[in-house]
Amino acid sequence: MVTFLTTCICLGIISFILFYFYLTRNFNYWKNQNVPYFKPNPIFGNVFSVIVQKTSINGYLNFLYKSNSLPYIGFFIFDQPSVLIRDPALLKRILVSDFNYFQDRSIMHNEYDKYTNNMLFMAKQPKWKILRTNLSPAFSSGKLKHMVGLILEVGDDMVNYIKAARLNEESSDCRNISIKYAIDAIATCAFGIRTNSHQNPEFAIASKKLLEPTPLRAIQMAAHYFAPSLVKIFHMTFSDQDSCRYLEKVLLKSMRERENVNTSRRDFMDFMKEMQMKDSHFFSDDVLVGIFLQYLIAGFESTGGTIAFTLYELCVNPTIQNRLRNEILTVLAKHETLTYEAIQEMTYLHMVIKETLRKFPPLPFLDRVCNTTYTIPNTDIAIKEGMPVFISLTALHYDEKYFPNPMLFDPERFSPENKSSITPYTYMPFSEGYRNCSGIKFGILSMSIGIIKILSNFEVITCKDTPTVISFETSGFLLTPLSDKINVTFRSLNP
Ligand code: HEM
Ligand SMILES: *[C@@H]1O[C@H](CO)[C@@H](O)[C@H](O)[C@H]1NC(C)=O
Ligand SMILES: *[C@@H]1O[C@H](CO)[C@@H](O)[C@H](O)[C@H]1NC(C)=O
Ligand SMILES: *[C@@H]1O[C@H](CO)[C@@H](O)[C@H](O)[C@H]1NC(C)=O
Ligand SMILES: *[C@@H]1O[C@H](CO)[C@@H](O)[C@H](O)[C@H]1NC(C)=O
Ligand SMILES: *[C@@H]1O[C@H](CO)[C@@H](O)[C@H](O)[C@H]1NC(C)=O
Ligand SMILES: *[C@@H]1O[C@H](CO)[C@@H](O)[C@H](O)[C@H]1NC(C)=O
């Protein structure tokens, strides 16, 4: 009996020690390569604070960035050696020149999730290349010009809602309003349906729920970045499945309707139906649903959130607001209708949007995974196959070396004279290179129209609930203001 007990205890201790060695087997990786790194703890490595949501993924990357001034810094995600790149010249290599090694994101491609399975953001090579090549023409300027009219209608819905329900109300959440506008813009241009979420919030509620970082959803999303084995064990999904199913139903209905009537809306739906006609094998209904949901997921919070951050900066900087409104009204007076070309004339508007995206890049970090061992040029440092590589956009955008007085909202940084003095690869809200944001032009167009519509109808002023500084949520992977609200007051310009 005693020997049995001792045997058990011994075996227990031995397996514990073996397990400990297993978990910590990689912990000398950065030390051996002479790369500065943070000492990891068994089990979580360096990411305990992220897993318990004390800090966001980007919050931790920011901390790493600030901790030294070398080109790179090592850390551990559980037992996986990982690296944050700080140096702009090395960033150029990873995103552009040596892209061949870093074609995929580290975020897991999850085949249990039927919906994200076909999304460009998650797709790995070689599937990614096929999707990206086929979808690029959908976003050309020529195609976007035809969507201006559709987006303007949606902008009018927003203005009418503010006039009827929120005008002169002491405190209105402009983030809620602009996100609904952004959802409506994607719904009309991609799904081919008019939603008016200000009146009928059903579609917007489902969209918003897709990535809402409830405690459970936040864990599942973080696991896609940091713990793919947990995703496999528990069959986790990246986005809310009920919302996906609801949106899929809406989409399929719209697709079937499009087959029976010859509309010529010349929107994304028309484009995708053409693709399906050419190659119905690859572009099955499931793939199309994934692509449309991808537009929604990637587009609504990024564009709607940026409109809200812009309105925030404009109400705390009234001089900038007035100058922008003057430009908008001057260009509008010159043109009979608001066209794509008229919007391009608004130089100051684009400077303001750029500065907002500097302070608030909606996707605040980039990630890649190395596909074969990559040696950092002029060093012997190896980035091994499978190693995640991270880039913090906020850390770069707030680095005083590149953007003096970073807290100051100063659109002049992006004036035609000044913009060439920005160090390449230190400002990249849409990223750079082959895997950059594929919705840049659509995003800028719908943000521009939203801001034009609001500023040409209303004055935006601070109210008692307007935050003095914006702080951010620590869950989820997007840059979300605390409590998901930004409150302001809307005043009519022509009472
Ligand atoms: C303010 C607006 C937006 C910002 C700041 C933004 C930013 C980004 C960033 C930083 C990435 C990651 C790029 C990388 O890893 O190198 C990305 C990827 C992507 N974005 Fe956007 N985005 C915006 C709007 C949109 C819109 C409106 C759409 C679609 C209609 C869209 C579709 C995508 C897609 C499909 C990807 C994945 C591209 C790929 O993997 O090939 N984005 N976006
Ligand atoms: C992996 O990287 C190498 C780098 O030379 C590249 O040639 C190759 O195409 C990449 N393979 C995949 C599957 O991405
Ligand atoms: C912000 O505005 C919304 C209405 O848009 C309101 O419900 C809320 O109470 C306001 N205040 C705060 C602090 O969120
Ligand atoms: C807008 O606010 C309502 C009420 O607080 C909420 O139910 C809804 O999800 C919000 N919508 C968006 C898009 O933020
Ligand atoms: C739609 O137009 C195409 C070509 O213009 C034509 O072949 C097709 O029969 C039309 N379908 C309907 C339902 O009118
Ligand atoms: C931009 O340029 C103007 C004039 O050329 C200069 O006064 C200003 O300091 C510059 N601002 C920044 C942020 O570089
Ligand atoms: C983004 O990608 C597209 C397509 O690969 C490319 O044409 C464009 O130049 C890229 N933009 C940047 C800023 O790298």
Side-chain angles (χ1 to χ4, degrees):
M1 187 64 195
V2 173
T3 40
F4 177 69
L5 256 183
T6 17
T7 321
C8 279
I9 291 168
C10 283
L11 278 177
I13 290 173
I14 290 169
S15 45
F16 180 81
I17 291 173
L18 284 177
F19 187 55
Y20 181 87
F21 275 104
Y22 175 76
L23 286 175
T24 57
R25 73 200 177 288
N26 294 326
F27 279 8
N28 282 329
Y29 187 85
W30 292 122
K31 193 175 168 197
N32 293 342
Q33 303 223 34
N34 272 323
V35 169
Y37 69 103
F38 275 88
K39 243 187 147 44
N41 299 313
I43 303 189
F44 291 104
N46 297 109
V47 297
F48 182 72
S49 61
V50 177
I51 298 298
V52 298
Q53 292 170 35
K54 250 178 67 189
T55 179
S56 60
I57 296 177
N58 186 54
Y60 184 69
L61 299 176
N62 241 315
F63 158 80
L64 282 179
Y65 183 98
K66 291 207 182 102
S67 69
N68 81 17
S69 56
L70 290 159
Y72 30 72
I73 174 157
F75 67 109
F76 293 84
I77 296 174
F78 295 87
D79 55 348
Q80 168 70 58
S82 311
V83 63
L84 173 83
I85 309 289
R86 297 179 77 265
D87 173 45
L90 189 52
L91 290 177
K92 179 180 181 181
R93 286 194 167 270
I94 288 173
L95 294 172
V96 183
S97 344
D98 294 331
F99 175 73
N100 271 346
Y101 294 88
F102 301 98
Q103 304 185 25
D104 291 333
R105 292 203 173 82
S106 72
I107 187 173
M108 182 194 182
H109 178 248
N110 176 358
E111 64 268 28
Y112 306 115
D113 184 338
K114 160 181 162 198
Y115 300 103
T116 52
N117 187 22
N118 291 310
M119 289 188 186
L120 208 48
F121 194 84
M122 323 281 183
K124 307 274 180 205
Q125 283 288 45
K127 184 177 182 174
W128 167 75
K129 188 72 198 254
I130 302 172
L131 279 172
R132 176 105 188 190
T133 313
N134 279 295
L135 296 180
S136 312
F139 292 99
S140 69
S141 315
K143 290 233 163 39
L144 290 181
K145 279 181 196 171
H146 295 296
M147 294 182 207
V148 171
L150 297 175
I151 306 176
L152 282 173
E153 288 174 4
V154 161
D156 288 332
D157 288 345
M158 171 171 62
V159 168
N160 292 337
Y161 166 76
I162 297 175
K163 279 190 177 150
R166 300 246 77 106
L167 197 60
N168 297 330
E169 285 233 343
E170 180 45 39
S171 189
S172 304
D173 176 8
C174 72
R175 183 171 157 90
N176 189 292
I177 296 172
S178 56
I179 286 187
K180 283 178 182 156
Y181 157 81
I183 290 172
D184 288 348
I186 296 171
T188 189
C189 293
F191 286 48
I193 52 169
R194 290 275 274 117
T195 36
N196 196 350
S197 302
H198 310 286
Q199 304 297 343
N200 320 301
E202 207 181 5
F203 186 90
I205 287 170
S207 309
K208 186 83 174 96
K209 253 181 78 187
L210 283 172
L211 295 187
E212 197 142 65
T214 57
L216 196 59
R217 173 79 23 229
I219 291 174
Q220 302 201 47
M221 292 195 296
H224 279 74
Y225 279 102
F226 283 180
S229 46
L230 290 186
V231 174
K232 282 185 197 143
I233 295 169
F234 295 109
H235 283 211
M236 291 177 172
T237 56
F238 193 76
S239 51
D240 181 69
Q241 297 293 290
D242 288 338
S243 308
C244 286
R245 276 188 286 272
Y246 166 82
L247 294 164
E248 178 182 31
K249 264 210 311 246
V250 175
L251 256 172
L252 290 175
K253 183 160 168 271
S254 173
M255 274 157 65
R256 295 295 93 89
E257 280 171 10
R258 199 56 74 94
E259 280 154 16
N260 298 324
V261 270
N262 274 337
T263 68
S264 51
R265 284 182 107 234
R266 303 220 251 175
D267 52 10
F268 289 125
M269 176 65 82
D270 276 346
F271 178 80
M272 292 313 307
K273 291 303 297 177
E274 263 171 51
M275 302 289 291
Q276 194 170 44
M277 248 150 23
K278 275 190 227 150
D279 183 354
S280 59
H281 179 68
F282 185 80
F283 289 100
S284 64
D285 278 0
D286 275 353
V287 172
L288 254 56
V289 166
I291 292 170
F292 282 122
L293 288 182
Q294 165 78 97
Y295 290 170
L296 188 64
I297 281 193
F300 80 83
E301 200 157 333
S302 53
T303 52
T306 303
I307 294 173
F309 283 130
T310 307
L311 296 178
Y312 168 77
E313 290 291 354
L314 292 177
C315 76
V316 296
N317 297 287
T319 327
I320 298 176
Q321 178 173 163
N322 289 333
R323 180 170 162 198
L324 177 55
R325 182 176 298 104
N326 284 340
E327 179 188 76
I328 290 172
L329 295 178
T330 309
V331 176
L332 286 181
K334 246 176 64 188
H335 295 263
E336 223 164 275
T337 50
L338 186 59
T339 56
Y340 192 76
E341 287 74 19
I343 296 168
Q344 308 315 310
E345 281 176 37
M346 299 179 182
T347 320
Y348 195 59
L349 172 65
H350 289 98
M351 287 161 59
V352 166
I353 292 176
K354 282 194 173 129
E355 176 66 344
T356 306
L357 289 172
R358 180 189 66 82
K359 283 190 78 175
F360 308 105
L363 183 60
F365 68 93
L366 308 177
D367 65 302
R368 294 288 188 268
V369 65
C370 184
N371 91 350
T372 35
T373 299
Y374 175 77
T375 310
I376 296 180
N378 310 319
T379 69
D380 339 306
I381 298 166
I383 298 182
K384 282 259 174 64
E385 178 182 343
M387 186 186 290
V389 176
F390 289 90
I391 300 163
S392 171
L393 297 179
T394 47
L396 291 160
H397 292 185
Y398 283 80
D399 189 332
E400 299 209 17
K401 214 162 76 188
Y402 310 124
F403 298 97
N405 200 355
M407 291 304 288
L408 181 72
F409 185 79
D410 182 10
E412 292 310 312
R413 299 179 206 269
F414 298 96
S415 70
E417 307 83 62
N418 287 359
K419 67 178 178 202
S420 57
S421 58
I422 295 171
T423 311
Y425 300 91
T426 60
Y427 174 75
M428 37 182 182
F430 295 103
S431 182
E432 297 274 349
Y434 307 96
R435 195 121 199 198
N436 65 6
C437 175
S438 60
I440 304 179
K441 286 183 187 153
F442 180 80
I444 293 181
L445 180 65
S446 78
M447 290 189 290
S448 301
I449 294 178
I451 295 167
I452 292 168
K453 279 287 170 193
I454 288 178
L455 285 200
S456 56
N457 285 283
F458 310 106
E459 190 180 354
V460 195
I461 42 193
T462 53
C463 68
K464 63 177 190 330
D465 298 326
T466 309
T468 37
V469 261
I470 304 256
S471 348
F472 302 103
E473 291 285 353
T474 55
S475 57
F477 68 108
L478 297 170
L479 202 62
T480 311
L482 215 53
S483 80
D484 199 15
K485 285 190 179 51
I486 298 181
N487 281 34
V488 301
T489 303
F490 292 101
R491 284 279 151 75
S492 182
L493 284 172
N494 319 296

